[in-house]
C-alpha cells in the first residue's frame, strides 16, 4: 500500500514557460492551479454554440519549446498528436473542413514547452514492472507538456482560449523509452480536453449539448483527420500495452512532414 501511495503521488511539475504565440485580451478563469496541472481559460459559450463548422486545427511549435535531448522530429510527433486528438474528438459533433473560409471558424494550437522524459528511468520502470502486479512506474524522470489553444469564429473573434500545462503521472502514464514518452501521451489528453470544452455536450449540467452528426458526416470528418495528421501504427500500438515502445515506433507523424513548422534545432 505504501508503494502504491508513493506512485500515486508521483507527478511531474508543470514546466516553466515563456509567453506563447497565441494572445488573448480576455480575463482568464483559473480552472486548475496544482503542482502537476495548470489550466486557465476564457470561453464565450454563446458564440461557440453558434459554430457548426471548424477548419482543421493549425499547430505550431514555439521557438523555445524544446531542447536536447529532444529532436525536431520528436517535437513534430508530439505537436501532431495534439492536433490529431483534437480533430478526432471534434469529428462526431462538428463539420470539419480542410481550411478556413468566410463561414468557418479556426482552431489553433501552440506547443509551448516539451519537458523530456528520462528514457533510462522509463526503461528501468518497464523492467521492474514485469515483476510487480498492476501498474508500476518509478516516480522519477517524468516528462511534462504545456500548450495553448484558441478557437476563432468566422468574424475573427476569439471565442475560446486555453493555457494548459500538465506533468506526467507515475500511475496514469505508461513508461515509454523515449524523451517524448510522456509529452506524447499528454498531448493527446490536451486535444481531448480542448475538444470537450468546445463540444460541451455534458447533459448532466447546462452545457451547449451538441447532438452527434450523422454517420456519413462523422466518417468524412475522420477521413479528413487521418489524411492530415496520419494514423497510429495499429500493430505497434497494440504491442505498446505490453512493451515500453517509444512514440516514434507507434506514431509515424503527419503524412506531410512539412505541415507543422518546427524550429530547426533544439536550443
Amino acid at each position: 500500500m505504501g508503494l502504491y501511495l508513493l506512485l500515486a503521488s508521483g507527478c511531474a511539475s508543470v514546466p516553466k514557460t515563456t509567453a506563447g504565440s497565441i494572445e488573448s485580451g480576455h480575463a482568464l478563469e483559473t480552472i486548475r492551479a496544482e503542482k502537476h496541472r495548470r489550466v486557465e481559460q476564457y470561453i464565450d459559450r454563446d458564440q461557440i454554440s453558434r459554430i457548426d463548422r471548424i477548419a482543421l486545427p493549425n499547430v505550431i511549435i514555439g521557438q523555445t519549446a524544446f531542447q536536447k535531448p529532444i529532436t525536431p522530429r520528436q517535437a513534430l510527433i508530439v505537436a501532431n498528436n495534439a492536433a490529431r486528438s483534437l480533430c478526432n474528438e471534434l469529428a462526431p459533433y462538428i463539420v470539419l473542413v480542410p481550411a478556413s473560409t468566410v463561414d468557418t471558424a479556426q482552431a489553433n494550437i501552440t506547443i509551448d514547452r516539451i519537458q523530456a522524459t528520462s528514457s533510462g528511468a522509463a526503461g528501468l520502470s518497464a523492467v521492474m514492472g514485469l515483476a510487480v502486479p498492476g501498474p508500476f512506474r518509478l516516480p522519477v524522470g517524468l516528462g511534462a507538456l504545456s500548450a495553448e489553444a484558441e478557437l476563432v469564429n468566422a468574424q475573427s473573434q476569439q471565442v475560446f482560449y486555453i493555457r494548459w500545462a500538465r506533468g506526467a503521472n507515475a500511475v496514469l502514464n505508461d513508461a515509454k523509452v523515449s524523451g517524448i514518452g510522456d509529452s506524447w501521451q499528454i498531448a493527446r489528453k490536451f486535444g481531448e480536453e480542448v475538444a470537450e470544452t468546445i463540444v460541451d455536450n455534458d447533459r448532466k449540467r447546462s452545457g451547449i449539448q451538441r447532438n452527434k452528426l450523422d454517420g456519413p458526416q462523422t466518417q468524412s470528418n475522420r477521413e479528413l483527420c487521418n489524411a492530415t495528421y496520419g494514423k497510429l501504427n495499429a500493430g505497434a500500438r497494440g504491442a505498446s500495452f505490453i512493451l515500453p515502445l517509444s512514440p516514434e515506433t507507434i506514431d509515424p507523424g503527419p503524412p506531410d512532414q512539412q505541415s507543422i513548422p518546427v524550429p530547426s534545432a533544439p536550443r
Side-chain angles (χ1 to χ4, degrees):
M1 177 62 74
L3 176 60
Y4 179 80
L5 292 176
L6 174 63
L7 294 175
S9 63
C11 297
S13 300
V14 294
K16 295 181 180 180
T17 61
T18 55
S21 64
I22 301 178
E23 297 182 356
S24 180
H26 303 286
L28 303 181
E29 177 186 4
T30 299
I31 307 300
R32 297 276 186 175
E34 304 162 15
K35 176 183 177 182
H36 67 285
R37 189 177 181 191
R38 184 177 65 243
V39 181
E40 300 172 282
Q41 72 177 28
Y42 159 79
I43 184 168
D44 186 331
R45 296 188 187 279
D46 180 62
Q47 289 291 328
I48 290 181
S49 68
R50 303 176 189 179
I51 293 174
D52 57 8
R53 291 165 56 88
I54 296 180
L56 292 180
N58 288 325
V59 57
I60 66 171
I61 301 168
Q63 289 294 318
T64 59
F66 65 101
Q67 58 188 6
K68 293 180 179 179
I70 296 173
T71 68
R73 167 67 179 164
Q74 290 176 315
L76 171 67
I77 291 174
V78 171
N80 186 69
N81 202 31
R84 176 199 288 125
S85 175
L86 175 56
C87 189
N88 281 315
E89 292 297 320
L90 291 176
Y93 298 98
I94 296 177
V95 175
L96 300 176
V97 296
S100 180
T101 61
V102 293
D103 62 345
T104 307
Q106 176 67 60
N108 299 306
I109 294 173
T110 295
I111 302 300
D112 291 327
R113 189 69 178 174
I114 300 171
Q115 182 172 299
T117 301
S118 168
S119 297
L124 180 58
S125 295
V127 171
M128 294 178 67
L130 296 176
V132 178
F136 176 86
R137 186 174 180 186
L138 295 171
V140 295
L142 303 176
L145 178 74
S146 66
E148 301 168 275
E150 69 171 353
L151 181 64
V152 179
N153 66 15
Q155 291 73 46
S156 300
Q157 299 169 324
Q158 187 183 71
V159 297
F160 170 65
Y161 169 83
I162 187 168
R163 183 184 297 151
W164 189 97
R166 188 164 185 160
N169 181 285
V171 173
L172 300 179
N173 296 108
D174 297 336
K176 297 187 182 300
V177 184
S178 168
I180 58 169
D182 290 318
S183 57
W184 179 76
Q185 296 179 73
I186 296 171
R188 177 180 59 82
K189 186 63 177 177
F190 173 62
E192 290 176 351
E193 290 193 12
V194 172
E196 180 181 317
T197 304
I198 292 174
V199 171
D200 193 17
N201 68 330
D202 185 350
R203 298 184 183 278
K204 295 181 180 179
R205 58 185 176 81
S206 56
I208 296 170
Q209 300 183 3
R210 294 181 187 272
N211 293 319
K212 284 191 173 184
L213 301 173
D214 60 35
Q217 181 61 65
T218 298
Q219 181 62 27
S220 176
N221 283 346
R222 293 204 184 282
E223 290 174 356
L224 188 57
C225 293
N226 291 338
T228 306
Y229 307 110
K231 299 174 65 174
L232 301 183
N233 181 309
R237 178 60 173 164
S240 70
F241 291 105
I242 302 174
L243 303 172
L245 298 182
S246 69
E248 299 93 314
T249 302
I250 303 167
D251 190 345
D256 179 3
Q257 296 291 306
Q258 306 302 314
S259 61
I260 299 176
V262 185
S264 58
R267 296 178 181 275

